Amino acid sequence: MDTWDCCLIPTLNLLESDQSILSVDQWNLLSNLVHRFDENSGYAFVERFIDQQNRLPLKLRFKHSSVNDFFTSMKRNIQLVFEKNRHFLSLSHHDRTALLRSTVEYTTSVGGMFTVRQYKLFDYPPFYESAEMIFQPSAAKLTKCVIDQLDPDNTFIKLVLAIVAFSTINYTVYRKNIQIGFTNIKAILPIQDMYTDLTWRYLLYKYGHREAVIRFSKLLRCLFLVIWAIVEAHESQKFTEMIDYVIEQTEQTLCL
């Protein structure tokens, strides 16, 4: 089964010490969440893309078309992580679709920024210039700000992505055909609470109360920048086409 919690995996190093702050089930959920993200988010695809580009002559690297295709595929890979989540699959078809349509821009944007940071892609001037052409210079600039401010703890960011994926948020940007409203929001709220509690307990375990508060506060400021970047990116047809593609592909999978 391709769900985050279908089986136990070897405990990660970060989980091998005191477990008093979290229950055994919470440690297992955290371990599997991190593992599933690393397994399904397309790291091999990113590394292959970079290798292919570095083999090209300098003037041909990170051209607009190849970077556009890269972002589209990367967003789709990131969304795959969440459509395999057993909590997501436990929801009704309508609510899965509604949740997908209301969060996909956030999950794929934050996940994409995280991936770009991991591989330092904005350090390649041609890549950044292509990103400006695709998403608008203002959106690219805001994206760089988010990347520079993202918490360095990768596990924390992956937990935040899980929270975002189950957020019953209202959008700041109007999108046609977006489904508003859930048939059973009471089934979603406990999942939100579960991942939020897990994230907070992880921070307490890793950093203590004071540092946990600081990191969560900084993360919230980052998320406001993400919203701003998405608003700016909506001026780009390429961005909306990417999101529509991810929604279409995911909905086809959910219907299988």
Side-chain angles (χ1 to χ4, degrees):
M1 293 176 61
D2 281 323
T3 58
W4 282 352
D5 307 299
C6 62
C7 59
L8 297 181
I9 61 172
T11 307
L12 301 176
N13 290 336
L14 64 89
L15 309 180
E16 287 177 346
S17 53
D18 177 32
Q19 298 185 6
S20 60
I21 295 177
L22 292 97
S23 68
V24 172
D25 287 343
Q26 286 174 320
W27 282 118
N28 289 334
L29 176 60
L30 174 55
S31 178
N32 278 280
L33 185 153
V34 171
H35 175 76
R36 290 297 181 181
F37 185 93
D38 293 343
E39 183 179 57
N40 294 296
S41 59
Y43 285 155
F45 157 75
V46 179
E47 291 169 359
R48 186 166 59 252
F49 169 76
I50 294 173
D51 180 65
Q52 290 171 348
Q53 293 299 309
N54 285 334
R55 291 174 182 271
L56 295 173
L58 283 173
K59 291 184 178 181
L60 298 179
R61 293 178 188 176
F62 303 110
K63 289 297 186 181
H64 176 278
S65 59
S66 61
V67 173
N68 185 79
D69 291 343
F70 167 79
F71 273 113
T72 302
S73 297
M74 180 179 65
K75 287 178 179 292
R76 175 61 184 138
N77 285 334
I78 291 167
Q79 190 60 37
L80 278 172
V81 175
F82 303 106
E83 70 185 54
K84 294 182 178 182
N85 181 316
R86 73 177 178 89
H87 299 109
F88 180 74
L89 294 174
S90 71
L91 303 174
S92 69
H93 181 271
H94 173 89
D95 285 350
R96 290 200 303 268
T97 301
L99 198 59
L100 164 70
R101 287 176 172 266
S102 64
T103 64
V104 63
E105 291 182 345
Y106 285 125
T107 54
T108 61
S109 293
V110 176
M113 293 169 184
F114 172 72
T115 302
V116 169
R117 183 189 72 175
Q118 288 294 94
Y119 290 92
K120 304 182 186 301
L121 286 168
F122 271 9
D123 289 351
Y124 296 92
F127 184 94
Y128 184 79
E129 290 166 7
S130 290
E132 286 185 311
M133 294 173 62
I134 295 166
F135 300 115
Q136 303 290 326
S138 57
K141 182 178 180 180
L142 286 165
T143 297
K144 189 175 188 307
C145 288
V146 174
I147 290 170
D148 291 341
Q149 295 181 36
L150 274 179
D151 195 281
D153 187 328
N154 294 341
T155 298
F156 177 35
I157 300 302
K158 293 166 188 176
L159 283 164
V160 169
L161 279 166
I163 297 173
V164 171
F166 288 96
S167 295
T168 49
I169 51 181
N170 291 320
Y171 253 66
T172 54
V173 177
Y174 171 77
R175 285 180 56 79
K176 65 180 181 179
N177 300 326
I178 189 169
Q179 287 184 275
I180 304 297
F182 300 93
T183 58
N184 186 14
I185 196 170
K186 290 182 179 180
I188 303 172
L189 295 178
I191 302 174
Q192 290 182 27
D193 293 343
M194 177 187 66
Y195 282 114
T196 303
D197 181 60
L198 178 63
T199 303
W200 177 245
R201 288 175 179 271
Y202 166 76
L203 289 177
L204 288 176
Y205 157 77
K206 191 79 179 289
Y207 303 106
H209 185 271
R210 183 177 182 278
E211 186 67 19
V213 171
I214 292 172
R215 285 174 180 266
F216 230 128
S217 298
K218 288 182 177 179
L219 187 279
L220 289 175
R221 289 198 293 271
C222 265
L223 291 180
F224 283 122
L225 280 177
V226 171
I227 294 171
W228 190 2
I230 290 173
V231 171
E232 293 294 324
H234 264 275
E235 298 298 319
S236 164
Q237 183 179 349
K238 292 293 185 182
F239 176 77
T240 56
E241 288 175 352
M242 287 179 192
I243 298 301
D244 289 340
Y245 171 79
V246 173
I247 290 173
E248 179 184 352
Q249 292 297 308
T250 305
E251 288 182 344
Q252 288 179 5
T253 302
L254 294 177
C255 289
L256 296 178

